[in-house]
Amino acid sequence: MEKKFRKIGVLTSGGDAPGMNAAVRAIARAALARGVEVMGIYGGYSGLIHDNMIELKARTVSNIVSRGGTILYSDRCEEFKTEEGMQTAIGVCKKHEIDGIVAIGGDGTFRGATDLSVRGIPTIGVPGTIDNDITATENSIGFDTAMNTVVQMCDRLRDTCESHARCNVVEVMGRGAGDIAINTALALGAVAAVIPEVPFDEAACMEKIRRLRADGKRSFLVIVSEGVEHFSEAFAKRVQAETGVETKFARLAHVVRGGDPTLGDRILAAKMGVYAVERLLAGESNLVICQQDNRIVAVDILYSQILDRKYKGTLKEGMLEKCTAEQIAQMDCAIEEKKKDFARLYAMVNDLAR
Ligand code: ADP
């Protein structure tokens, strides 16, 4: 017989992202509307281990939909990765009679969600990460806000570059993924983007800057993803040396993580949060909520993780054996589409810089 849920927990874990609060609100309100109590667990999985949580009432989550950061705080909890830590966490769930959990975070958070699910605490993941590096979903909560912040900051840099006839090389977050960099480069009219997904032709970039300057262009932006390691600062010096254009360097770093969520992230958080509660209360577990073809769907976490590893080329021995031939074909298709998207956007940035 299907288990009746009386109480669920919600937590935010790993790197924070704007829109996490909107997701917490949606999850809490959706559960409360269905007669289910909600515990807000503080500091990600460490709140489960150290029994640090509060009951969320409808009013507790009032007026947080528009706020950046996370009212539940976030943390990285190494102890949770040990069997002892895991057992402590499960004991705390039992003590509070928590029947299931919604965990908002990135891929590390979803690994923790699987560990809980297989030990009898049904858990569903909601992607909250500015990096957009969960391959199974087209969009993660925080990505849109982070891109908007990059665009706002770089528009300001562009103003001063234009006044002083300069170039600015800007490094943006994204961990190993170039999603933020390539999309913002396009939105900013950058002369080039440097991302991990597509090889960068530095000589062609220098030549283009020299040619455009000779043609009278005053300002240049180059957007570099932090995923291209140990590159951006030295590259800025090379641009100045090789093109004669005065070049400044800026690393936006954590400023991109903060700020109020955009309309897009608030809507995504609401849709994903409500869907997570619906699936959890329907008795499902070990799923990550995704956006595919603009629809909200649920994907098995194991599938999502294997897809990520296949995309990044980090598959471990025997992993693919857990998937059906149909799933593998589906993964190959998704990976090919993602690679094509990057190639298209990269070509577009270069074509439009004239
Ligand atoms: P993100 O969720 O943003 O990818 P992390 O990789 O730092 O961030 O993971 C967040 C938290 O998830 C970790 O601090 C840890 O508590 C938990 N976690 C990560 N990996 C595992 C794992 N292999 N097993 C269990 N829990 C994990």
Side-chain angles (χ1 to χ4, degrees):
M1 204 180 77
E2 212 169 78
K3 184 182 162 117
K4 174 98 180 80
F5 279 69
R6 283 196 312 247
K7 194 190 282 180
I8 65 166
V10 55
L11 58 83
T12 51
S13 157
D16 68 340
M20 279 182 160
N21 281 328
V24 168
R25 168 186 180 268
I27 291 157
R29 291 267 171 88
L32 291 167
R34 290 160 179 77
V36 175
E37 290 173 39
V38 185
M39 298 301 284
I41 298 155
Y42 282 119
Y45 293 118
S46 73
L48 266 189
I49 291 183
H50 301 291
D51 194 356
N52 187 10
M53 57 186 79
I54 53 155
E55 185 174 354
L56 297 182
K57 299 282 194 188
R59 288 288 74 75
T60 329
V61 293
S62 272
N63 202 19
I64 65 166
V65 72
S66 61
R67 276 169 57 191
T70 159
I71 61 155
L72 294 178
Y73 312 130
S74 192
D75 202 358
R76 295 198 156 91
C77 176
E78 285 303 307
E79 211 183 332
F80 189 71
K81 295 183 187 172
T82 65
E83 189 53 42
E84 204 186 338
M86 188 69 57
Q87 289 308 329
T88 308
I90 286 165
V92 171
C93 286
K94 296 224 161 101
K95 177 183 150 193
H96 288 283
E97 299 181 316
I98 291 175
D99 300 315
I101 289 178
V102 181
I104 308 162
D107 56 350
T109 300
F110 302 154
R111 276 194 284 278
T114 295
D115 287 344
L116 283 174
S117 295
V118 298
R119 286 169 181 77
I121 308 288
T123 302
I124 291 195
V126 169
T129 164
I130 64 163
D131 307 324
N132 204 36
D133 58 352
I134 313 287
T135 314
T137 184
E138 286 155 7
N139 207 349
S140 58
I141 298 165
F143 175 50
D144 188 57
T145 307
M147 288 193 295
N148 273 280
T149 305
V150 168
V151 167
Q152 283 169 14
M153 297 295 122
C154 292
D155 279 346
R156 286 161 168 74
L157 288 172
R158 170 77 86 172
D159 289 345
T160 171
C161 279
E162 183 72 14
S163 304
H164 290 272
R166 281 180 188 146
C167 173
N168 221 312
V169 173
V170 185
E171 186 187 286
V172 300
M173 278 194 163
R175 285 219 294 195
D179 296 60
I180 293 179
I182 195 68
N183 285 287
T184 55
L186 189 61
L188 285 157
V191 70
V194 190
I195 56 173
E197 291 83 357
V198 183
F200 176 58
D201 186 343
E202 182 167 326
C205 175
M206 297 297 186
E207 173 51 30
K208 184 176 251 184
I209 293 174
R210 276 194 295 267
R211 180 168 51 76
L212 293 173
R213 172 51 62 92
D215 192 41
K217 186 169 170 60
R218 289 180 62 83
S219 61
F220 302 89
L221 283 173
V222 180
I223 309 297
V224 183
S225 161
E226 69 174 346
V228 183
E229 289 175 20
H230 314 298
F231 177 83
S232 49
E233 203 162 0
F235 173 70
K237 291 198 176 94
R238 291 199 294 278
V239 172
Q240 177 157 323
E242 291 181 31
T243 68
V245 176
E246 188 188 359
T247 302
K248 301 283 183 191
F249 169 69
R251 179 176 285 125
L252 298 187
H254 290 77
V255 74
V256 171
R257 280 195 184 283
D260 298 340
T262 56
L263 170 119
D265 275 331
R266 295 182 204 190
I267 292 174
L268 187 67
K271 288 182 178 172
M272 286 183 159
V274 171
Y275 197 56
V277 170
E278 285 172 358
R279 300 300 289 251
L280 187 65
L281 300 190
E284 293 179 66
S285 175
N286 205 29
L287 300 173
V288 55
I289 307 301
C290 295
Q291 182 188 300
Q292 292 178 354
D293 296 329
N294 225 11
R295 294 169 62 84
I296 304 298
V297 297
V299 171
D300 182 73
I301 289 183
L302 185 66
Y303 175 90
S304 162
Q305 279 166 353
I306 294 176
L307 173 60
D308 268 339
R309 283 183 173 271
K310 205 168 187 304
Y311 174 66
K312 291 171 191 155
T314 56
L315 272 179
K316 286 190 189 148
E317 184 105 3
M319 268 184 165
L320 275 186
E321 286 159 24
K322 296 171 186 163
C323 304
T324 62
E326 193 189 338
Q327 283 176 322
I328 294 171
Q330 227 175 34
M331 285 182 196
D332 288 338
C333 192
I335 291 167
E336 198 180 318
E337 275 306 309
K338 190 156 172 139
K339 287 188 173 165
K340 268 196 215 152
D341 273 351
F342 267 111
R344 262 196 296 267
L345 287 170
Y346 190 84
M348 221 181 271
V349 169
N350 286 320
D351 281 354
L352 296 180
R354 288 185 180 273

